[in-house]
Protein backbone atom coordinates (compact mmCIF):
# COMPACT_ATOMS: atom_id res chain seq x y z
CA UNK A 1 0.00 0.00 0.00
CA UNK A 2 2.84 2.40 0.90
CA UNK A 3 4.49 1.64 -2.43
CA UNK A 4 1.23 2.51 -4.22
CA UNK A 5 0.85 5.79 -2.29
CA UNK A 6 4.44 6.81 -2.98
CA UNK A 7 4.03 5.96 -6.65
CA UNK A 8 0.85 8.03 -6.93
CA UNK A 9 2.49 10.97 -5.14
CA UNK A 10 5.44 10.87 -7.49
CA UNK A 11 3.11 10.84 -10.49
CA UNK A 12 1.15 13.80 -9.18
CA UNK A 13 4.32 15.80 -8.55
CA UNK A 14 5.69 14.97 -12.00
CA UNK A 15 2.36 15.77 -13.64
CA UNK A 16 2.14 19.09 -11.80
CA UNK A 17 5.67 20.07 -12.76
CA UNK A 18 5.04 19.12 -16.37
CA UNK A 19 1.79 21.07 -16.41
CA UNK A 20 3.28 24.24 -14.96
CA UNK A 21 6.22 24.01 -17.35
CA UNK A 22 3.86 23.54 -20.27
CA UNK A 23 1.70 26.50 -19.26
CA UNK A 24 4.70 28.73 -18.78
CA UNK A 25 6.22 27.82 -22.13
CA UNK A 26 3.06 28.27 -24.20
CA UNK A 27 1.73 31.24 -22.19
CA UNK A 28 -1.81 29.95 -22.71
CA UNK A 29 -2.78 31.37 -19.31
CA UNK A 30 -2.02 34.90 -20.47
CA UNK A 31 -3.40 37.03 -23.26
CA UNK A 32 0.00 37.41 -24.92
CA UNK A 33 1.03 34.48 -27.11
CA UNK A 34 3.89 34.62 -29.61
CA UNK A 35 2.69 33.13 -32.88
CA UNK A 36 -0.68 32.09 -31.46
CA UNK A 37 -3.69 32.58 -33.74
CA UNK A 38 -7.37 32.06 -33.09
CA UNK A 39 -8.45 29.95 -36.05
CA UNK A 40 -11.45 27.94 -34.87
CA UNK A 41 -14.44 29.11 -32.84
CA UNK A 42 -17.07 26.66 -31.62
CA UNK A 43 -20.62 28.04 -31.55
CA UNK A 44 -23.01 25.99 -29.44
CA UNK A 45 -26.79 26.43 -29.82
CA UNK A 46 -28.19 25.32 -26.49
CA UNK A 47 -30.89 22.66 -26.09
CA UNK A 48 -33.06 21.10 -28.82
CA UNK A 49 -35.95 18.79 -29.66
CA UNK A 50 -36.07 15.12 -28.74
CA UNK A 51 -33.99 13.17 -31.26
CA UNK A 52 -35.79 10.69 -33.54
CA UNK A 53 -33.69 7.83 -32.17
CA UNK A 54 -34.74 8.72 -28.62
CA UNK A 55 -32.40 9.02 -25.65
CA UNK A 56 -31.85 11.85 -23.22
CA UNK A 57 -32.36 15.42 -24.38
CA UNK A 58 -32.47 18.95 -22.98
CA UNK A 59 -35.56 20.90 -24.16
CA UNK A 60 -34.65 24.18 -22.45
CA UNK A 61 -36.85 26.99 -21.20
CA UNK A 62 -39.96 28.45 -22.81
CA UNK A 63 -41.77 31.75 -22.92
CA UNK A 64 -45.39 32.58 -23.61
CA UNK A 65 -45.04 31.81 -27.32
CA UNK A 66 -41.48 30.69 -28.04
CA UNK A 67 -38.92 28.09 -27.01
CA UNK A 68 -35.30 28.58 -26.00
CA UNK A 69 -34.11 25.79 -28.32
CA UNK A 70 -35.45 27.64 -31.39
CA UNK A 71 -34.13 31.05 -30.36
CA UNK A 72 -30.64 29.75 -29.62
CA UNK A 73 -30.37 28.00 -32.98
CA UNK A 74 -31.45 31.15 -34.84
CA UNK A 75 -28.91 33.31 -32.97
CA UNK A 76 -26.14 30.71 -33.36
CA UNK A 77 -26.66 30.50 -37.12
CA UNK A 78 -26.51 34.29 -37.42
CA UNK A 79 -23.39 34.32 -35.24
CA UNK A 80 -21.68 31.74 -37.46
CA UNK A 81 -22.25 33.84 -40.57
CA UNK A 82 -21.18 37.08 -38.88
CA UNK A 83 -17.93 35.63 -37.50
CA UNK A 84 -16.90 34.07 -40.80
CA UNK A 85 -17.77 37.29 -42.66
CA UNK A 86 -16.19 39.81 -40.30
CA UNK A 87 -13.18 37.96 -38.84
CA UNK A 88 -10.61 36.89 -41.42
CA UNK A 89 -9.00 33.48 -41.12
CA UNK A 90 -11.50 32.10 -38.62
CA UNK A 91 -13.78 29.15 -39.22
CA UNK A 92 -16.83 28.37 -37.12
CA UNK A 93 -17.82 24.87 -36.07
CA UNK A 94 -21.43 24.44 -34.95
CA UNK A 95 -22.36 21.83 -32.35
CA UNK A 96 -25.98 21.86 -33.56
CA UNK A 97 -27.37 22.80 -36.98
CA UNK A 98 -30.80 21.15 -36.81
CA UNK A 99 -33.74 21.47 -34.38
CA UNK A 100 -32.75 18.16 -32.74
CA UNK A 101 -30.83 18.24 -29.47
CA UNK A 102 -27.19 17.14 -29.21
CA UNK A 103 -26.04 15.39 -26.00
CA UNK A 104 -23.77 17.38 -23.69
CA UNK A 105 -20.84 15.00 -24.15
CA UNK A 106 -21.17 15.15 -27.95
CA UNK A 107 -21.07 18.95 -27.86
CA UNK A 108 -17.83 18.86 -25.87
CA UNK A 109 -16.39 16.18 -28.16
CA UNK A 110 -17.13 18.29 -31.25
CA UNK A 111 -15.36 21.26 -29.68
CA UNK A 112 -12.30 19.30 -28.58
CA UNK A 113 -11.95 17.17 -31.73
CA UNK A 114 -12.02 20.30 -33.89
CA UNK A 115 -9.34 21.87 -31.66
CA UNK A 116 -11.42 24.95 -30.97
CA UNK A 117 -9.71 28.07 -29.70
CA UNK A 118 -12.91 29.54 -28.22
CA UNK A 119 -16.24 28.03 -27.19
CA UNK A 120 -19.36 30.23 -27.17
CA UNK A 121 -22.58 28.62 -25.96
CA UNK A 122 -25.85 30.46 -26.68
CA UNK A 123 -28.74 30.14 -24.22
CA UNK A 124 -31.84 31.95 -22.94
CA UNK A 125 -32.46 32.43 -19.25
CA UNK A 126 -35.65 31.83 -17.25
CA UNK A 127 -36.68 32.12 -13.62
CA UNK A 128 -38.52 29.28 -11.88
CA UNK A 129 -42.03 29.80 -10.58
CA UNK A 130 -42.27 31.43 -7.16
CA UNK A 131 -44.49 30.28 -4.33
CA UNK A 132 -46.98 32.74 -2.81
CA UNK A 133 -49.73 32.55 -0.21
CA UNK A 134 -53.13 33.97 -1.02
CA UNK A 135 -56.28 34.41 1.03
CA UNK A 136 -59.10 32.13 -0.10
CA UNK A 137 -61.61 32.78 2.67
CA UNK A 138 -62.26 33.29 6.36
CA UNK A 139 -63.23 31.03 9.22
CA UNK A 140 -64.19 32.30 12.63
CA UNK A 141 -62.68 35.67 11.83
CA UNK A 142 -59.36 34.19 10.69
CA UNK A 143 -57.98 34.22 7.17
CA UNK A 144 -57.65 30.95 5.27
CA UNK A 145 -54.61 30.73 3.02
CA UNK A 146 -53.51 28.48 0.23
CA UNK A 147 -50.08 28.18 -1.37
CA UNK A 148 -49.89 28.57 -5.12
CA UNK A 149 -47.12 28.60 -7.71
CA UNK A 150 -47.02 31.62 -10.01
CA UNK A 151 -44.66 32.56 -12.87
CA UNK A 152 -41.77 34.84 -11.99
CA UNK A 153 -41.27 37.17 -14.95
CA UNK A 154 -39.05 39.68 -13.15
CA UNK A 155 -35.76 38.53 -14.76
CA UNK A 156 -34.34 40.80 -17.44
CA UNK A 157 -31.11 41.13 -19.39
CA UNK A 158 -27.98 39.14 -20.18
CA UNK A 159 -25.75 37.00 -18.00
CA UNK A 160 -22.29 35.52 -18.72
CA UNK A 161 -21.50 32.11 -17.21
CA UNK A 162 -18.04 30.58 -16.79
CA UNK A 163 -17.31 27.20 -15.26
CA UNK A 164 -16.99 26.80 -11.51
CA UNK A 165 -14.49 24.31 -10.11
CA UNK A 166 -16.43 23.93 -6.85
CA UNK A 167 -19.68 21.99 -6.97
CA UNK A 168 -22.25 22.59 -4.24
CA UNK A 169 -25.77 21.30 -3.71
CA UNK A 170 -27.51 24.68 -4.33
CA UNK A 171 -25.62 25.08 -7.62
CA UNK A 172 -26.66 21.63 -8.80
CA UNK A 173 -30.28 22.31 -7.88
CA UNK A 174 -30.14 25.56 -9.86
CA UNK A 175 -29.32 23.68 -13.05
CA UNK A 176 -32.67 21.95 -13.56
CA UNK A 177 -33.31 23.97 -16.73
CA UNK A 178 -30.10 22.56 -18.21
CA UNK A 179 -30.61 18.91 -17.24
CA UNK A 180 -31.10 16.32 -19.92
CA UNK A 181 -34.34 14.35 -19.52
CA UNK A 182 -35.66 11.08 -20.92
CA UNK A 183 -34.07 7.65 -21.03
CA UNK A 184 -30.39 6.84 -21.36
CA UNK A 185 -28.40 6.03 -18.22
CA UNK A 186 -25.09 6.20 -20.09
CA UNK A 187 -25.40 9.97 -20.52
CA UNK A 188 -26.13 10.38 -16.82
CA UNK A 189 -23.12 8.27 -15.90
CA UNK A 190 -20.86 10.21 -18.27
CA UNK A 191 -21.84 13.51 -16.67
CA UNK A 192 -20.57 12.50 -13.24
CA UNK A 193 -17.11 13.28 -11.98
CA UNK A 194 -14.70 10.31 -12.19
CA UNK A 195 -13.73 8.50 -8.99
CA UNK A 196 -10.16 7.88 -10.10
CA UNK A 197 -7.93 10.46 -8.31
CA UNK A 198 -5.42 10.69 -11.17
CA UNK A 199 -8.18 11.43 -13.70
CA UNK A 200 -9.66 14.03 -11.34
CA UNK A 201 -6.28 15.77 -11.04
CA UNK A 202 -5.85 15.87 -14.81
CA UNK A 203 -9.35 17.29 -15.34
CA UNK A 204 -8.80 19.98 -12.70
CA UNK A 205 -5.48 20.96 -14.30
CA UNK A 206 -7.26 21.34 -17.63
CA UNK A 207 -10.06 23.44 -16.14
CA UNK A 208 -7.66 25.80 -14.39
CA UNK A 209 -5.57 26.17 -17.55
CA UNK A 210 -8.24 28.19 -19.32
CA UNK A 211 -10.00 29.73 -16.35
CA UNK A 212 -8.42 33.19 -16.55
CA UNK A 213 -9.02 33.39 -20.30
CA UNK A 214 -12.66 32.35 -19.94
CA UNK A 215 -13.32 35.04 -17.35
CA UNK A 216 -11.62 37.69 -19.48
CA UNK A 217 -13.61 36.71 -22.58
CA UNK A 218 -16.85 36.79 -20.57
CA UNK A 219 -15.96 40.25 -19.27
CA UNK A 220 -15.33 41.56 -22.79
CA UNK A 221 -18.64 40.16 -24.05
CA UNK A 222 -20.50 41.57 -21.07
CA UNK A 223 -19.06 45.04 -21.68
CA UNK A 224 -20.22 44.92 -25.30
CA UNK A 225 -23.77 44.10 -24.22
CA UNK A 226 -23.75 46.96 -21.74
CA UNK A 227 -22.47 49.34 -24.43
CA UNK A 228 -25.35 48.09 -26.58
CA UNK A 229 -27.73 49.32 -23.87
CA UNK A 230 -28.68 45.92 -22.49
CA UNK A 231 -29.30 45.32 -18.81
CA UNK A 232 -26.70 42.88 -17.48
CA UNK A 233 -26.39 40.65 -14.44
CA UNK A 234 -22.65 40.45 -15.03
CA UNK A 235 -20.51 37.32 -14.72
CA UNK A 236 -21.31 34.25 -12.67
CA UNK A 237 -19.56 30.95 -12.01
CA UNK A 238 -21.72 27.91 -12.65
CA UNK A 239 -21.38 24.16 -12.93
CA UNK A 240 -22.20 23.30 -16.54
CA UNK A 241 -21.14 20.16 -18.39
CA UNK A 242 -20.25 21.80 -21.72
CA UNK A 243 -18.04 24.37 -19.98
CA UNK A 244 -16.41 21.80 -17.70
CA UNK A 245 -15.46 19.48 -20.56
CA UNK A 246 -14.21 21.81 -23.30
CA UNK A 247 -10.43 22.25 -23.49
CA UNK A 248 -10.45 25.93 -24.44
CA UNK A 249 -11.65 29.31 -23.10
CA UNK A 250 -15.42 28.86 -22.80
CA UNK A 251 -18.34 31.17 -22.05
CA UNK A 252 -22.06 30.49 -21.88
CA UNK A 253 -24.09 33.55 -22.90
CA UNK A 254 -27.56 33.84 -21.39
CA UNK A 255 -28.94 36.22 -24.02
CA UNK A 256 -32.08 37.21 -22.10
CA UNK A 257 -35.02 35.94 -20.03
CA UNK A 258 -37.39 34.15 -22.37
CA UNK A 259 -40.14 34.10 -19.71
CA UNK A 260 -40.03 37.89 -19.43
CA UNK A 261 -42.46 39.43 -21.99
CA UNK A 262 -40.11 42.26 -23.06
CA UNK A 263 -37.06 40.02 -23.29
CA UNK A 264 -39.01 37.36 -25.17
CA UNK A 265 -40.06 39.86 -27.83
CA UNK A 266 -36.48 41.09 -28.08
CA UNK A 267 -35.01 37.58 -28.38
CA UNK A 268 -37.43 36.68 -31.16
CA UNK A 269 -36.97 39.86 -33.19
CA UNK A 270 -34.49 40.27 -36.05
CA UNK A 271 -33.17 43.49 -34.52
CA UNK A 272 -32.69 41.86 -31.14
CA UNK A 273 -30.90 38.82 -32.52
CA UNK A 274 -28.67 41.00 -34.69
CA UNK A 275 -27.73 43.18 -31.71
CA UNK A 276 -26.83 40.08 -29.70
CA UNK A 277 -24.69 38.73 -32.54
CA UNK A 278 -22.94 42.07 -33.12
CA UNK A 279 -22.07 42.41 -29.42
CA UNK A 280 -20.56 38.91 -29.34
CA UNK A 281 -18.58 39.48 -32.54
CA UNK A 282 -17.13 42.74 -31.20
CA UNK A 283 -16.10 41.01 -27.99
CA UNK A 284 -14.43 38.19 -29.92
CA UNK A 285 -12.56 40.68 -32.09
CA UNK A 286 -11.16 42.43 -29.03
CA UNK A 287 -10.18 39.15 -27.39
CA UNK A 288 -8.56 37.88 -30.60
CA UNK A 289 -6.53 41.07 -31.01
CA UNK A 290 -5.26 40.87 -27.44
CA UNK A 291 -4.52 37.15 -27.62
CA UNK A 292 -2.55 37.44 -30.85
CA UNK A 293 -0.47 40.49 -30.00
CA UNK A 294 3.29 39.98 -29.86
CA UNK A 295 4.95 40.06 -26.46
CA UNK A 296 7.27 42.97 -25.85
Amino acid sequence: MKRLIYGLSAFVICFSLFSFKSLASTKRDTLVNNGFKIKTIIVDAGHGNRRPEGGRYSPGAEGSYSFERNVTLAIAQKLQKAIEKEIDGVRVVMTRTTPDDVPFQTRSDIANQNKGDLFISIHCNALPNRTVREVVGHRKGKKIYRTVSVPDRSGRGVLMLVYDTKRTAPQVEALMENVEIGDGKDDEKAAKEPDDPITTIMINQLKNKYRKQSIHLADLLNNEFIDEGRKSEGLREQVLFVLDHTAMPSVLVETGYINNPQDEDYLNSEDGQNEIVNAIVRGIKTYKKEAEQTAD
Side-chain angles (χ1 to χ4, degrees):
M1 178 61 72
K2 289 183 178 179
R3 186 175 300 173
L4 175 62
I5 294 173
Y6 291 149
L8 178 59
S9 300
F11 175 86
V12 172
I13 293 172
C14 291
F15 177 81
S16 299
L17 291 175
F18 172 80
S19 298
F20 290 137
K21 180 179 180 181
S22 174
L23 292 178
S25 62
T26 59
K27 296 187 178 181
R28 294 286 296 193
D29 240 3
T30 70
L31 294 176
V32 177
N33 298 278
N34 286 322
F36 172 68
K37 298 291 183 183
I38 292 178
K39 299 178 180 179
T40 303
I41 296 176
I42 312 299
V43 174
D44 174 54
H47 305 286
N49 295 328
R50 182 190 291 272
R51 299 183 296 279
E53 67 272 20
R56 299 175 69 84
Y57 77 109
S58 177
E62 58 184 83
S64 61
Y65 62 86
S66 63
F67 297 94
E68 176 182 11
R69 55 186 177 268
N70 297 332
V71 172
T72 59
L73 182 58
I75 294 174
Q77 289 172 332
K78 286 183 172 66
L79 181 58
Q80 176 190 23
K81 293 178 181 178
I83 291 174
E84 292 181 339
K85 178 181 179 181
E86 298 183 31
I87 306 179
D88 293 337
V90 172
R91 73 176 179 124
V92 174
V93 175
M94 302 280 284
T95 62
R96 179 165 75 93
T97 58
T98 71
D100 296 334
D101 189 27
V102 175
F104 296 153
Q105 184 63 61
T106 303
R107 294 172 189 263
S108 300
D109 290 343
I110 290 171
N112 295 330
Q113 289 167 6
N114 283 276
K115 299 181 180 179
D117 298 301
L118 296 177
F119 182 89
I120 308 292
S121 187
I122 305 298
H123 283 253
C124 300
N125 221 335
L127 290 175
N129 288 352
R130 57 190 178 91
T131 301
V132 299
R133 297 179 68 203
E134 62 180 15
V135 178
V136 294
H138 295 78
R139 179 180 298 169
K140 296 181 179 180
K142 294 183 178 180
K143 297 178 181 178
I144 301 174
Y145 294 90
R146 71 172 179 179
T147 301
V148 296
S149 180
V150 298
D152 186 350
R153 309 191 191 282
S154 62
R156 187 93 187 265
V158 297
L159 170 67
M160 306 298 115
L161 298 179
V162 296
Y163 61 76
D164 190 356
T165 55
K166 296 180 181 179
R167 299 180 176 229
T168 63
Q171 287 176 320
V172 174
E173 291 174 1
L175 294 177
M176 293 307 296
E177 183 258 326
N178 286 306
V179 170
E180 290 176 325
I181 61 175
D183 53 357
K185 294 183 179 180
D186 290 340
D187 290 337
E188 182 179 352
K189 182 178 180 181
K192 294 180 179 179
E193 288 290 343
D195 295 327
D196 178 54
I198 295 177
T199 303
T200 301
I201 291 170
M202 294 176 69
I203 289 176
N204 288 336
Q205 288 283 344
L206 187 63
K207 290 177 183 177
N208 291 329
K209 182 177 181 180
Y210 300 108
R211 178 175 176 76
K212 184 184 296 184
Q213 294 168 323
S214 298
I215 293 173
H216 183 65
L217 175 59
D219 191 49
L220 291 175
L221 296 177
N222 187 58
N223 288 340
E224 292 296 339
F225 280 113
I226 293 174
D227 290 345
E228 195 78 66
R230 296 292 307 285
K231 181 180 183 296
S232 173
E233 295 184 348
L235 279 61
R236 188 179 302 168
E237 295 177 321
Q238 189 61 277
V239 179
L240 293 166
F241 189 95
V242 291
L243 299 185
D244 282 355
H245 291 72
T246 49
M248 63 205 69
S250 305
V251 177
L252 188 148
V253 182
E254 296 281 11
T255 55
Y257 282 83
I258 198 168
N259 67 340
N260 173 289
Q262 290 79 20
D263 266 16
E264 183 176 18
D265 289 343
Y266 180 84
L267 292 170
N268 282 275
S269 69
E270 284 293 317
D271 289 344
Q273 291 181 5
N274 288 334
E275 283 188 2
I276 291 168
V277 167
N278 291 336
I280 295 174
V281 170
R282 289 195 303 271
I284 291 174
K285 284 181 177 180
T286 301
Y287 181 92
K288 184 176 185 293
K289 182 179 180 180
E290 293 179 355
E292 294 177 356
Q293 69 185 355
T294 303
D296 294 333

